[in-house]
Amino acid sequence: MKRSKLDGREFDVIVCGGGSAGVAAACAAAKAGARTALLERLGFCGGTPVAGMIHTLDAVLSCEDTSQIVVGGYASDLVDEITRMGGRGTDDNPGEVLSLHPEYMKIAADRLLARAGVQTFYHSAVFDAMMDGTRVTGVEVALRDGRAQLRSGCVVDGTGDAEVANFAGVKWAMDEELQALTYHFRLGNVASGVTWVDLEDGCRTAMQAAGDHVRYGGPWVIRLTNQEVSINATRVYGNPIDPSDLSAAEQEARESMLVIYEILRQGVEALREAYIIAGATQLHVRESRKIAGEYVLTEEDILARRRFPDVIALGAWPIDIHPTNGYVGVHPHKDSPPKPYEIPYRCLVPLEVDQLLVAGRPISTTHRAHGSTRVPGTSMATGHAAGLAAALSVRSGVTARRVDTRKLQDELLRQGAILSLDQTVTQ
Ligand SMILES: Cc1cc2nc3c(=O)[nH]c(=O)nc-3n(C[C@H](O)[C@H](O)[C@H](O)COP(=O)(O)OP(=O)(O)OC[C@H]3O[C@@H](n4cnc5c(N)ncnc54)[C@H](O)[C@@H]3O)c2cc1C
């Protein structure tokens, strides 16, 4: 395969994947002075909330008290930028989710990356890790003009599926009972004058009447504008890291979208004239690999709000697991909203492999704890910490595993992160 003109380039920090975790990591590393590259296989950043048409950022606000912000730093910068651009969704949504317009999310991420001084490479799929023994020294990436070996002092894996960790030989686990895969879609021309609550209730009733409510989830409805909603209802099952399974699941999910659209159109008065604006760029994955890290966060840690000396992020979402056997209903946190809890740095540090940090969905947790940590707000918080730790590792010459976590916490706080259960701020 032809070599890219960038072949052999060296950076202090390379971040793979431009989702919630990856963009936060890249901005943090660059702000700390590291020469930082971000590699994203799509043509825009934002990851699942944008490409998956989820349109919301859960766990930036506390579910218990939705006026409390629990993730600062990059998350705050992003929300502020989108708000300034006029890209916030309507207020007619559940209070604990932040609803943001996906096109504004893309542009806001571009602006924040440029401001921080990150070199962003779109259409760049990472396909291998470069190794010197157990130390990651860079990545191999397919760029638009050919393949390239890009070298770096530290790599952050923000791919959502721990792809780089897998290439590097990091041990990982995947639960036998994986959460459902979902293909979101957007409907336009929704009748005006209907509240979000009435709309969501109407959709549920229509699905139940059609007898398909067990097969599909929710439906969960997010209102983007008065006439436009995003529907989270398709549910397909399969192994998201098996090429054949995932392809079959993509096809099944698109067919499901049509079935659900017809049920909703016929069963919900306000959707009678609605049409499909678009389906997501791809089927999205709630759960795949989880790395084996220096510490494995558990449900007990979350519920007991265990304190960690190396806390680098706060989580705030309930243990939200979309089961494999189908159910309809509301999220569990509606009954028992969780209090913010601490996540230690060690969850980002893989066992045995050096100069690689993993952020976002695949951090080291149990299946139950992952039901809470997997959401974008928390992914931004762990990404922020991973990017800064990578920069500190390169700057100080110590391995990422041995980074001084006190120093890391100080710098995180300087960059606006929220690390203490008592430090949460009000919006
Ligand atoms: C179906 C579904 C519904 C959800 N519903 C909600 C919801 O309602 N509200 C909510 O807040 N959260 C929801 N979530 C959770 C949330 O969106 C994600 O879990 C979260 O965004 C994970 O962030 P991340 O940064 O780890 O990964 P992602 O956002 O997935 O980002 C990973 C990025 O890495 C890129 N990438 C992957 N592999 C490579 C590679 N080899 N080379 C280069 N780039 C690569 C991808 O293109 C992507 O941009 C949902 C998730 C799913 C799947």
Side-chain angles (χ1 to χ4, degrees):
M1 186 184 176
K2 193 181 174 309
R3 293 269 160 194
S4 159
K5 65 180 181 197
L6 295 177
D7 192 30
R9 279 278 293 276
E10 192 166 339
F11 298 88
D12 294 327
V13 175
I14 291 179
V15 179
C16 305
S20 301
V23 182
C27 288
K31 278 184 177 176
R35 293 169 304 148
T36 306
L38 174 69
L39 306 172
E40 165 55 52
R41 65 181 171 187
L42 301 175
F44 52 87
C45 278
T48 303
V50 174
M53 282 199 181
I54 282 159
H55 309 318
T56 58
L57 299 183
D58 294 345
V60 173
L61 305 178
S62 160
C63 294
E64 187 191 38
D65 172 0
T66 57
S67 69
Q68 252 194 342
I69 301 171
V70 293
V71 183
Y74 168 76
S76 297
D77 294 345
L78 183 77
V79 173
D80 288 350
E81 189 69 31
I82 293 172
T83 306
R84 271 196 295 276
M85 294 162 78
R88 287 284 286 267
T90 70
D91 289 335
D92 182 26
N93 282 308
E96 70 276 11
V97 306
L98 278 175
S99 152
L100 304 169
H101 193 294
E103 291 307 317
Y104 290 87
M105 277 205 237
K106 291 179 191 172
I107 298 167
D110 282 341
R111 289 183 182 177
L112 295 178
L113 286 164
R115 248 176 247 157
V118 176
Q119 282 203 48
T120 302
F121 298 99
Y122 285 130
H123 307 291
S124 303
V126 176
F127 63 87
D128 208 354
M130 290 156 58
M131 306 292 295
D132 178 6
T134 56
R135 183 189 175 99
V136 175
T137 56
V139 294
E140 289 210 65
V141 55
L143 297 170
R144 292 301 290 164
D145 62 342
R147 67 190 288 168
Q149 293 192 331
L150 302 182
R151 300 187 177 280
S152 71
C154 194
V155 171
V156 176
D157 183 340
T159 62
D161 290 315
E163 297 218 352
V164 185
N166 181 47
F167 298 141
V170 169
K171 290 198 180 76
W172 50 264
M174 216 167 81
D175 216 76
E176 277 181 19
E177 292 242 322
L178 287 172
Q179 297 197 52
L181 304 159
T182 292
Y183 184 73
H184 283 57
F185 56 95
R186 262 157 63 194
L187 297 180
N189 206 26
V190 177
S192 53
V194 193
T195 65
W196 163 75
V197 174
D198 288 343
L199 207 50
E200 195 168 82
D201 283 351
C203 289
R204 289 218 173 106
T205 307
M207 296 284 274
Q208 278 166 2
D212 266 333
H213 58 289
V214 177
R215 204 169 137 212
Y216 302 121
W220 291 282
V221 177
I222 291 291
R223 192 193 276 280
L224 291 169
T225 67
N226 276 338
Q227 274 92 44
E228 195 181 325
V229 292
S230 150
I231 305 281
N232 171 354
T234 64
R235 258 190 191 162
V236 290
Y237 303 103
N239 179 345
I241 57 168
D242 178 292
S244 309
D245 259 27
L246 187 58
S247 301
E250 290 273 11
Q251 291 163 338
E252 189 189 335
R254 278 192 283 274
E255 295 288 349
S256 303
M257 172 179 70
L258 283 187
V259 174
I260 294 169
Y261 167 60
E262 275 310 318
I263 293 172
L264 299 183
R265 207 168 59 84
Q266 286 170 28
V268 184
E269 184 63 37
L271 299 180
R272 199 80 8 120
E273 302 295 323
Y275 57 86
I276 298 173
I277 296 176
T281 312
Q282 62 181 61
L283 185 63
H284 274 84
V285 175
R286 287 191 175 84
E287 182 171 8
S288 62
R289 301 182 186 98
K290 292 183 287 296
I291 62 150
E294 293 272 336
Y295 185 80
V296 183
L297 191 77
T298 66
E299 179 178 17
E300 292 70 37
D301 293 333
I302 291 176
L303 297 181
R305 305 178 83 203
R306 185 160 168 206
R307 311 298 292 246
F308 295 100
D310 58 338
V311 53
I312 44 77
L314 297 186
W317 199 243
I319 312 278
D320 179 5
I321 295 179
H322 292 237
T324 50
N325 57 358
Y327 85 124
V328 68
V330 293
H331 286 295
H333 64 280
K334 298 276 157 80
D335 302 326
S336 54
K339 292 181 188 297
Y341 61 87
E342 298 186 350
I343 299 174
Y345 178 59
R346 286 163 291 160
C347 290
L348 320 185
V349 184
L351 293 173
E352 291 162 19
V353 172
D354 279 313
Q355 295 318 89
L356 175 70
L357 292 168
V358 179
R361 206 149 51 73
I363 64 169
S364 178
T365 64
T366 62
H367 168 68
R368 297 279 307 166
H370 170 274
S372 170
T373 58
R374 68 190 177 88
V375 292
T378 314
S379 296
M380 287 176 189
T382 58
H384 188 176
L388 202 44
L392 286 184
S393 161
V394 174
R395 192 199 296 163
S396 61
V398 300
T399 63
R401 191 182 312 282
R402 300 266 168 260
V403 156
D404 180 344
T405 47
R406 279 279 168 78
K407 213 178 221 171
L408 174 60
Q409 289 163 339
D410 286 347
E411 293 231 10
L412 278 169
L413 291 171
R414 262 199 292 278
Q415 287 195 0
I418 298 171
L419 301 185
S420 149
L421 304 178
D422 315 314
Q423 187 207 337
T424 50
V425 290
T426 304
Q427 65 166 345

